[in-house]
Amino acid sequence: MKPIQVGLLGIGTVGSGTFNVLKRNQEEIKRRAGRGIEITMVADLDTERAKAAVGEGVQVVSDARAVIANPDIDIVIELIGGYGIAKQLVMEAIAAGKHVVTANKALLAVHGTEIFEAAQKKGVMVAFEAAVAGGIPIIKALREGLTANSIQWIAGIINGTTNFILSEMRDKGLDFGTVLKEAQRLGYAEADPTFDIEGVDAAHKVTLMSAIAFGIPVQFSKAHVEGITKLAAQDIKYAEQLGYRIKLLGVTKRAKNGIELRVHPSLVPAKRLLANVEGAMNAVVVHGDAVGTTLYYGKGAGSEPTASAVIADLVDITRLHTADSAQRVPHLAFHPNAMNDHLDVLPMREVVTSYYLRLRVADEAGVLAKVTGLLANAGISIDAVLQREADEVGGEGSTQTDLIILTHDTLEGTVDDALAELQALPTVLAPIVRIRKEELS
Ligand code: HSE
């Protein structure tokens, strides 16, 4: 049988990795897919770069629409990124009856509903293993491997840039700004790192996992998104003294009255495997009612790790494209007419979790009692308290100190209200630091 023909839109790091791995492992991939898979056409604005990447025998064009219009192309890989032209091209490829493989988490987290609907109508597949956690096959695991389970929660380190920065801050005791510059110099952080450091990239990824886990539409706009830019080295140190590490987590949970969907820095017990995921690595923990807790670890970015996921999708499509579309694995794991549209994403005030609080207070008699009394009145149960010596915090003769409190599980709205009251106390001398805590047990 003649090889299935693939057109590639955008040949940067991941595109050239895909081309190289497909070529290097072509025999083995063919034996798995039942048919050869060949990239026969590449579109890139920089045609010279593209030609250098693919060599002879592959048609290189600058116009992506020429790939979509080619009747010999069965699958289009979109590696352009972003929501603009990438969206138009994906919609045009679907309309032209092409199957699509994409690594574009931003596009799917924001426009997934429209894209999957169009693909469903047209009877084509849109595959996106590479969009979440790079080379880790987490979409496959959630959609197929764990299909027996009622998934309870997912927590993941799904952004390598921020995990690298947090690991360096902890190891070297440096502040965020210094480590960010170093990360940019080493190529771990992009020149414009906003999506990574503000938690947006992780929120795109957890939005996709949440939809697949719970059978809800993709709803990036309802995700709570908080990055690591305000995190102080001091809090990483205090967390460590209390037996925790701080990680940027993407969390989605099935709660009694809805779904939690959030990205923010979190304290994680140092003994958990997730707390020990260091540098630019990614890891995702999934808890299902039948299987219990499972962990997936690997490279979340990079040329060949991401290519590994792109090619897994190419193989899936090659195996399934002649099957009746009703028999294929649904895009979001649940059949489109069986989605959970009564399950809402909860506002943050309705989320339940535990907290790390740091209060800079006047070192005077009665301050601790006042603070803990106020928390008790609000119904917030304290798990641990750490008070530093004033000299250690503010130097010799200091009249201020840090009071660190860990709470038990509490409704976020209750904590918001209590913190507003605490902040108004004359003995609380600086903005209170609040970091959520996930026990992951
Ligand atoms: N910028 C991402 C990260 C990789 O740092 O993990 C692509 O999603």
Side-chain angles (χ1 to χ4, degrees):
M1 197 187 291
K2 91 178 188 1
I4 199 158
Q5 298 202 18
V6 180
L8 177 58
L9 312 184
I11 187 151
T13 313
V14 177
S16 39
T18 301
F19 187 82
N20 293 339
V21 175
L22 256 185
K23 202 166 165 195
R24 187 170 77 234
N25 296 343
Q26 58 181 313
E27 272 314 306
E28 223 162 331
I29 290 169
K30 181 177 174 184
R31 280 163 52 213
R32 292 189 173 119
R35 188 174 169 188
I37 300 174
E38 268 178 23
I39 295 177
T40 53
M41 198 169 180
V42 171
D44 198 291
L45 290 176
D46 187 343
T47 49
E48 288 315 307
R49 175 181 74 161
K51 280 181 190 152
V54 299
E56 296 294 308
V58 177
Q59 191 185 350
V60 173
V61 294
S62 58
D63 178 11
R65 291 192 167 94
V67 176
I68 294 169
N70 183 340
D72 293 332
I73 297 288
D74 305 294
I75 307 173
V76 170
I77 307 178
E78 181 274 309
L79 295 175
I80 296 167
Y83 321 95
I85 186 70
K87 182 184 175 209
Q88 286 174 35
L89 293 171
V90 164
M91 293 303 278
E92 287 174 26
I94 292 169
K98 312 292 184 195
H99 302 285
V100 173
V101 173
T102 178
N104 193 336
K105 59 232 92 182
L107 175 63
L108 295 180
V110 176
H111 299 292
T113 302
E114 183 186 346
I115 290 170
F116 295 133
E117 252 176 43
Q120 186 74 21
K121 276 203 193 111
K122 196 71 191 177
V124 296
M125 289 171 268
V126 175
F128 53 98
E129 184 64 70
V132 181
I136 304 175
I138 188 65
I139 300 298
K140 190 87 167 175
L142 284 171
R143 199 159 49 182
E144 299 179 49
L146 298 177
T147 198
N149 289 265
S150 167
I151 292 175
Q152 303 299 304
W153 54 265
I154 300 174
I157 295 172
I158 43 181
N159 183 268
T161 306
T162 45
N163 203 49
F164 173 82
I165 294 173
L166 292 177
S167 300
E168 289 288 293
M169 286 174 74
R170 184 178 72 83
D171 275 356
K172 301 183 177 156
L174 296 172
D175 64 28
F176 170 78
T178 309
V179 178
L180 174 63
K181 280 200 196 95
E182 180 67 358
Q184 284 172 315
R185 197 182 62 77
L186 294 171
Y188 283 108
E190 295 184 31
D192 179 1
T194 314
F195 266 31
D196 291 321
I197 62 178
E198 296 293 357
V200 179
D201 175 73
H204 287 147
K205 294 167 182 167
V206 75
T207 296
L208 290 171
M209 291 197 288
S210 181
I212 292 173
F214 304 120
I216 58 172
V218 281
Q219 302 169 78
F220 172 70
S221 61
K222 294 190 182 166
H224 173 83
V225 189
E226 215 178 297
I228 62 166
T229 53
K230 297 187 184 81
L231 212 53
Q234 189 66 70
D235 293 305
I236 294 178
K237 202 168 117 201
Y238 287 150
E240 186 127 47
Q241 290 167 6
L242 288 158
Y244 292 85
R245 294 197 179 154
I246 299 182
K247 295 290 183 187
L248 183 71
L249 291 189
V251 177
T252 185
K253 273 188 194 171
R254 187 191 294 271
K256 273 197 207 87
N257 46 346
I259 297 294
E260 296 182 8
L261 179 57
R262 48 195 170 91
V263 169
H264 49 71
S266 301
L267 270 73
V268 178
K271 63 187 177 202
R272 297 267 179 266
L273 290 170
L274 203 58
N276 294 282
V277 172
E278 298 288 16
M281 299 304 282
N282 280 203
V284 182
V285 180
V286 183
H287 187 88
D289 68 335
V291 72
T293 301
T294 58
L295 170 71
Y296 310 82
Y297 170 85
K299 289 187 178 153
S303 177
E304 293 204 356
T306 312
S308 166
V310 168
I311 296 169
D313 282 343
L314 292 177
V315 171
D316 264 356
I317 293 175
T318 305
R319 286 170 175 154
L320 290 172
H321 74 118
T322 52
D324 182 333
S325 61
Q327 302 305 319
R328 296 177 190 146
V329 183
H331 291 113
L332 293 175
F334 291 75
H335 279 279
N337 56 4
M339 298 287 274
N340 238 330
D341 40 21
H342 59 278
L343 214 49
D344 279 335
V345 173
L346 296 170
M348 274 312 273
R349 278 183 70 84
E350 290 180 35
V351 161
V352 174
T353 186
S354 53
Y355 297 85
Y356 161 103
L357 308 173
R358 173 165 62 87
L359 293 82
R360 176 60 59 94
V361 292
D363 190 16
E364 294 169 13
V367 171
L368 179 60
K370 183 89 187 158
V371 169
T372 54
L374 200 147
L375 291 174
N377 281 343
I380 298 171
S381 171
I382 294 173
D383 183 26
V385 178
L386 177 71
Q387 184 176 333
R388 309 309 308 168
E389 285 182 29
D391 287 359
E392 192 191 314
V393 172
E396 213 173 309
S398 170
T399 55
Q400 305 182 4
T401 193
D402 279 339
L403 190 57
I404 297 109
I405 297 172
L406 300 184
T407 76
H408 286 298
D409 275 354
T410 310
L411 198 63
E412 174 123 344
T414 306
V415 172
D416 287 346
D417 297 344
L419 290 191
E421 278 191 64
L422 282 173
Q423 194 66 73
L425 294 176
T427 44
V428 174
L429 306 173
I432 299 171
V433 174
R434 173 250 302 264
I435 306 174
R436 298 173 190 89
K437 177 162 83 65
E438 297 295 328
E439 290 294 331
L440 304 177
S441 50

